[in-house]
Amino acid sequence: MSALSYLDLLHLVLPQVIVVVAALVVLSVDLIFLRTSETHLRAVVAAIISVAGCTAAILWILHAPHSANVLDGMLVLNHLAQRMQITLLILTSLTILVFIESTFTQHISEYMALILLATVSMMFLVSTQNLLIIFLSLELLSLSLYVLTGFNKRSARSAESALKYFLFGGISAAFLLFGASLLYGLSNSTNLERIANSIPEIVHGPFLDPLLIVAIVMTIVGLGFKVAAVPFHFWAPDVYQGAPVPSAAFIASGSKVAAFFIFYQVMVIGFAGAEGSSSWSGYAPGWVPALAVVAALSMVLGNLVAILQTSVRRLLAYSAVSHAGYMLLGILSHSDQSFRALLYYAITYALTVLGAFGVIALVEEETGGDALSNFAGLSRRAPVPSFCLLIFLLSLAGIPPLAGFFGKFYLFSSVLTSSPAAIGLLWLVVLAIAMSAVSLYYYLKVLKYVYVLDPPAGITPRRISLVRQFVLCVMALGVLLLGCAPNLLLRWL
């Protein structure tokens, strides 16, 4: 693309600028006008401004779509990138609305601003094909998430989980940066396509260059941490359990969508020509067999350990590890169909887990905990959120006609039909189906407490606002609708 002026560049990134301005307005309004007001009013005003900023950014993207490739892939705008930006803005808006009445902090505006700035990082992450900007966007996102995790200063568990998240995140960033530096040394470029073009010069016959092997391993380690894949998942259970519920929901939803999107881009575009094969009959060295091992471990360990959990938050954390294994199958088969299936799966999973955390927040506010026993008899105390939780958990288990079922069906079938040689991945698909059957047990265990067991004595049902119930119902309806009519999302993407 020809050289751009600063004004042209600003025009291309205006959606991100709008969200940044919304974050600054949230801070300014709260600090100048509302600092002495009651917490609920401040939260409502901050939520309105934040959602208005996200909505304005969405409207701008829809009104003025752009196609651009600026500064050697540092900013890549196309139909898909802008649709992903819209998806992330919608997930952020839903996160803000469903947790509008959370009372874990008095620093409302700072919390909202961090969520918006994290969203800006994700918007840049899905609109670049340059290793430098990928790393910067990931680290800007991670810094926001570290702070959001430890934002509940009244909870020692929140501080502990934030510290673990930060330490693991710093180590994974070092691995990713080391891998990127090796790729730059091998290809003399940070652009993913240029790196891929240089791989045929590095690969000679069936063997890979040792430095390329190290770069592949380092990249998988760095990005595997972001998606909580085994064995880089150790931070996830503590963060999901210790972080404030809105933070945990945000980490589990929007950031996962952005992370899997860029994971696919880096592996499929950046390492094109070094795929190898994990087929049982035709093994070849490359990033596919390495990722196949990570996917298999994630599916097995995530599902088996989730069975043992008594905390619903930790259960969802290990569930997230297993779902990361499923989604890695979409990267392994690296076809256009598997990419569409991966995006569908990631987006519907994010919507589903966000709704599940919304119900967990209601239970914690009522009972003070997230143990399975706290969910006993929830259907009698809160029938509408309980029914929404039923839809969310059955979708995560892959029960038709919900979005989770079609997501798994489309993803697994795309793996087997991506190429004539893809039948060699049948062992992974069989393992994924078997582990999906295992997951049904622990999701039904939660629903047993909700619908079968009697509520504990002494719990007074709290009044749930119509806004929160409406947002939960909208998400549950979305999960059902996208399962019955998946083309609504697939055609849009």
Side-chain angles (χ1 to χ4, degrees):
M1 186 174 179
S2 59
L4 295 175
S5 67
Y6 284 116
L7 191 60
D8 294 330
L9 190 57
L10 182 65
H11 197 255
L12 292 175
V13 298
L14 194 57
Q16 290 93 316
V17 173
I18 292 172
V19 180
V20 171
V21 170
L24 297 176
V25 171
V26 167
L27 284 169
S28 302
V29 169
D30 187 62
L31 292 173
I32 297 172
F33 301 107
L34 300 176
R35 183 53 78 183
T36 58
S37 303
E38 62 176 8
T39 304
H40 178 67
L41 175 63
R42 293 168 55 207
V44 170
V45 172
I48 291 173
I49 296 172
S50 302
V51 173
C54 292
T55 305
I58 292 172
L59 292 175
W60 174 260
I61 295 173
L62 293 174
H63 170 70
H66 292 97
S67 179
N69 189 330
V70 182
L71 299 174
D72 200 25
M74 287 191 173
L75 179 65
V76 177
L77 289 180
N78 51 39
H79 177 81
L80 180 59
Q82 293 185 315
R83 290 294 184 265
M84 292 303 298
Q85 288 181 344
I86 292 173
T87 300
L88 295 170
L89 289 166
I90 291 173
L91 289 172
T92 299
S93 300
L94 290 173
T95 304
I96 292 169
L97 288 174
V98 80
F99 299 108
I100 195 171
E101 295 181 6
S102 297
T103 57
F104 63 88
T105 181
Q106 298 294 316
H107 303 280
I108 304 295
S109 59
E110 293 91 334
Y111 190 82
M112 292 291 186
L114 280 170
I115 286 181
L116 292 175
L117 294 176
T119 304
V120 172
S121 304
M122 293 188 292
M123 292 172 70
F124 277 114
L125 189 60
V126 299
S127 57
T128 184
Q129 291 184 4
N130 188 286
L131 283 177
L132 181 61
I133 302 301
I134 289 172
F135 179 78
L136 290 176
S137 299
L138 280 173
E139 289 315 296
L140 286 172
L141 172 61
S142 298
L143 288 173
S144 299
L145 297 182
Y146 301 152
V147 181
L148 289 171
T149 301
F151 216 85
N152 187 357
K153 293 191 287 186
R154 292 172 290 185
S155 169
R157 183 173 284 171
S158 177
E160 179 188 352
S161 61
L163 180 60
K164 289 180 179 178
Y165 195 13
F166 171 71
L167 292 176
F168 278 111
I171 294 170
S172 76
F175 275 98
L176 184 60
L177 190 59
F178 187 36
S181 66
L182 289 176
L183 288 175
Y184 178 74
L186 290 168
S187 63
N188 198 31
S189 175
T190 56
N191 180 272
L192 294 180
E193 292 183 351
R194 293 179 186 272
I195 292 171
N197 291 335
S198 67
I199 284 180
E201 303 173 7
I202 303 170
V203 178
H204 302 288
F207 302 105
L208 300 180
D209 186 281
L211 287 180
L212 182 59
I213 295 174
V214 175
I216 290 173
V217 172
M218 294 294 178
T219 304
I220 291 176
V221 170
L223 294 176
F225 165 85
K226 304 301 179 185
V227 300
V230 175
F232 321 111
H233 68 289
F234 294 104
W235 61 273
D238 291 313
V239 169
Y240 275 55
Q241 186 178 27
V245 185
S247 303
F250 189 68
I251 293 168
S253 56
S255 68
K256 281 288 181 68
V257 174
F260 269 106
F261 182 88
I262 205 61
F263 204 160
Y264 185 95
Q265 299 274 72
V266 170
M267 302 311 297
V268 175
I269 298 178
F271 288 107
E275 292 89 352
S277 173
S278 59
S279 168
W280 65 70
S281 58
Y283 169 81
W287 60 263
V288 167
L291 214 55
V293 173
V294 172
L297 290 175
S298 300
M299 289 185 285
V300 173
L301 186 139
N303 282 301
L304 295 184
V305 178
I307 294 175
L308 306 175
Q309 304 306 310
T310 57
S311 162
V312 177
R313 287 223 232 170
R314 290 184 79 87
L315 185 149
L316 285 181
Y318 284 106
S319 164
V321 172
S322 66
H323 282 280
Y326 303 144
M327 285 185 267
L328 287 176
L329 296 183
I331 304 177
L332 283 170
S333 51
H334 54 276
S335 66
D336 290 340
Q337 184 183 357
S338 68
F339 188 35
R340 289 193 296 271
L342 171 64
L343 293 181
Y344 177 90
Y345 195 112
I347 292 170
T348 53
Y349 169 77
L351 183 65
T352 306
V353 79
L354 181 57
F357 270 106
V359 180
I360 290 174
L362 297 176
V363 174
E364 286 196 3
E365 291 168 12
E366 185 181 62
T367 64
D370 69 304
L372 285 169
S373 57
N374 295 114
F375 285 77
L378 181 64
S379 59
R380 280 79 131 188
R381 309 194 304 269
V384 173
S386 297
F387 183 71
C388 292
L389 183 62
L390 171 72
I391 292 177
F392 297 139
L393 293 182
L394 291 182
S395 178
L396 289 173
I399 302 298
L402 304 173
F405 166 76
F406 181 79
K408 287 181 179 177
F409 173 79
Y410 190 32
L411 187 64
F412 298 162
S413 62
S414 70
V415 172
L416 297 178
T417 59
S418 58
S419 68
I423 195 65
L425 294 174
L426 179 62
W427 68 276
L428 265 177
V429 175
V430 171
L431 179 64
I433 294 172
M435 290 298 106
S436 296
V438 171
S439 71
L440 183 60
Y441 170 77
Y442 56 80
Y443 291 128
L444 289 179
K445 184 169 69 170
V446 178
L447 294 176
K448 170 192 168 186
Y449 277 84
V450 172
Y451 279 97
V452 178
L453 300 186
D454 294 324
I459 292 182
T460 304
R462 291 187 53 171
R463 180 182 173 275
I464 304 171
S465 71
L466 292 177
V467 173
R468 297 179 79 174
Q469 293 196 65
F470 175 75
V471 175
L472 286 173
C473 289
V474 167
M475 289 191 282
L477 181 62
V479 171
L480 179 61
L481 189 61
L482 291 176
C484 296
N487 273 341
L488 291 175
L489 179 58
L490 291 173
R491 191 181 299 117
W492 184 71
L493 287 171

